[in-house]
Amino acid sequence: MNPFPPSASIFPASTAFAPRTWLTGFAWVCGAVLSCAPAAEAQIFTASASTGYGSGNTGFGGTVFSGYPLPANGTTPSVALSAGLLSADGDATSKMSTGTLSVSGMVGGASNTPVDNHNYYVSGGGSINFNDTLTLSSSSLPAGTPVTLTFSIEIAYVATAQHTIGTLLGSNQQQNNARYLLAVGAGASDTFGGGSFYMDSNLNKAYFDTAPGSGTKLGIFTGTQHVDFTVGSQVGHTVSFGLSIQASASLDVAPASLTGFGPLLNQSGSALAELGTAFGASADNPAVVLSSAKLGGAFPAASLANPMNAAAAVPEPGAVGVVTALGLVGFSAAGAWKRNRDGGR
């Protein structure tokens, strides 16, 4: 049984960059698909990473790695973009030695009037989708012995979005936005009709938009940033497990006036979203062994889903920066993207 219903996908089903309209709402980043179908056995994880930029309804360039087969310990190919005064980066990394996954997206940019009066957008992000089948076995307990599995997920994140828009009026305000989105979805179910659990990524996310300055944190992104859930099963049964994570950043930047009628002023901005996730599962009876079909051995223990491992999985900010020009302040990993392992913005 698939732990993710079709609605669990949090990316649009496209491998090309769409017009600027994909920057509205929560489907604006990677052009990637979080498919809920089990990946081929050779693919431990299905990862995606992307960058892109354009103006209005026209995409000018970018890179997409969609459905990339990520091994148990590895990362997506380097995905970075530098186009004039626009920069972006997207990454996805797995490290199953500690039961951790991480994704990141970061962008920065500045307008350039009077040389260029385009209204530019730029985006970057990464995602990972992991589906596995766990076999419950025991050398001392007979088949059919009831077992309760506890799945644990811990996150740590860094997220920020900012721009120099000031207090613009009317439509000018919408020409300069910086946004980030983080999301986590998970599910598990006994494949013989036993217990099941589903954690909707739409109810476990953090989102922020600098214009009009609105944001939200839901589910695992509040409180202790830790989730435990149980699934009933039996010795001899199999349990399907799925985990999806996403981090994306986006920026609109254009020359604008403070009043909507005065001279055009150059604007600049940046956004960063980094997410580290530690996960695992354990049986209530220590005589039960959980074997992973994808890992070819033991599934990560629930004890690995702790704050230390999650924080250690948060990726270091990439070397993405914006060229300082025309007296504008540049944004860099050392400046606007200051590291904060405790998460939050």
Side-chain angles (χ1 to χ4, degrees):
M1 179 178 177
N2 193 329
F4 290 115
S7 61
S9 177
I10 55 176
F11 283 99
S14 169
T15 56
F17 287 100
R20 186 179 180 276
T21 53
W22 55 261
L23 294 175
T24 61
F26 294 129
W28 42 254
V29 60
C30 289
V33 177
L34 277 183
S35 170
C36 295
E41 289 301 319
Q43 298 182 3
I44 303 301
F45 303 93
T46 302
S48 300
S50 71
T51 60
Y53 81 106
S55 179
N57 292 323
T58 303
F60 291 160
T63 301
V64 175
F65 288 97
S66 180
Y68 181 81
L70 193 63
N73 294 281
T75 186
T76 55
S78 177
V79 181
L81 167 71
S82 179
L85 300 183
L86 305 175
S87 298
D89 181 84
D91 291 288
T93 300
S94 61
K95 189 176 181 181
M96 292 309 298
S97 58
T98 54
T100 59
L101 307 175
S102 63
V103 288
S104 66
M106 53 192 80
V107 294
S111 59
N112 193 18
T113 188
V115 176
D116 183 354
N117 287 334
H118 272 94
N119 180 356
Y120 282 110
Y121 65 80
V122 61
S123 66
S127 68
I128 294 178
N129 189 47
F130 175 50
N131 288 285
D132 201 355
T133 300
L134 313 184
T135 300
L136 283 63
S137 63
S138 176
S139 60
S140 59
L141 300 175
T145 301
V147 178
T148 298
L149 300 183
T150 297
F151 291 87
S152 299
I153 300 173
E154 177 89 25
I155 67 166
Y157 66 97
V158 179
T160 184
Q162 58 188 332
H163 62 63
T164 60
I165 187 173
T167 55
L168 300 184
L169 302 176
S171 61
N172 283 325
Q173 188 176 30
Q174 300 306 314
Q175 294 178 4
N176 290 277
N177 303 54
R179 316 170 190 83
Y180 67 74
L181 171 65
L182 301 164
V184 178
S189 63
D190 181 278
T191 54
F192 290 85
S196 64
F197 178 86
Y198 171 62
M199 192 174 86
D200 192 340
S201 61
N202 287 320
L203 301 178
N204 293 274
K205 65 186 177 185
Y207 173 74
F208 183 72
D209 186 345
T210 59
S214 60
T216 184
K217 292 181 181 180
L218 300 174
I220 196 172
F221 290 91
T222 62
T224 61
Q225 299 174 187
H226 181 94
V227 170
D228 293 318
F229 62 88
T230 60
V231 171
S233 186
Q234 299 178 24
V235 173
H237 281 199
T238 56
V239 172
S240 59
F241 172 76
L243 175 65
S244 63
I245 61 174
Q246 173 192 5
S248 54
S250 178
L251 173 69
D252 288 325
V253 62
S257 65
L258 291 177
T259 63
F261 301 99
L264 292 178
L265 303 175
N266 281 313
Q267 309 292 329
S268 57
S270 68
L272 164 72
E274 297 181 314
L275 175 64
T277 311
F279 67 95
S282 297
D284 59 343
N285 191 321
V288 176
V289 177
L290 305 182
S291 300
S292 163
K294 288 297 176 70
L295 301 178
F299 190 73
S303 60
L304 291 177
N306 57 58
M308 180 179 67
N309 284 341
V314 176
E316 294 288 342
V320 179
V322 177
V323 177
T324 300
L326 306 175
L328 296 175
V329 177
F331 290 83
S332 67
W337 297 332
K338 184 178 179 181
R339 185 168 180 76
N340 175 7
R341 282 200 181 271
D342 293 333
R345 58 175 168 81

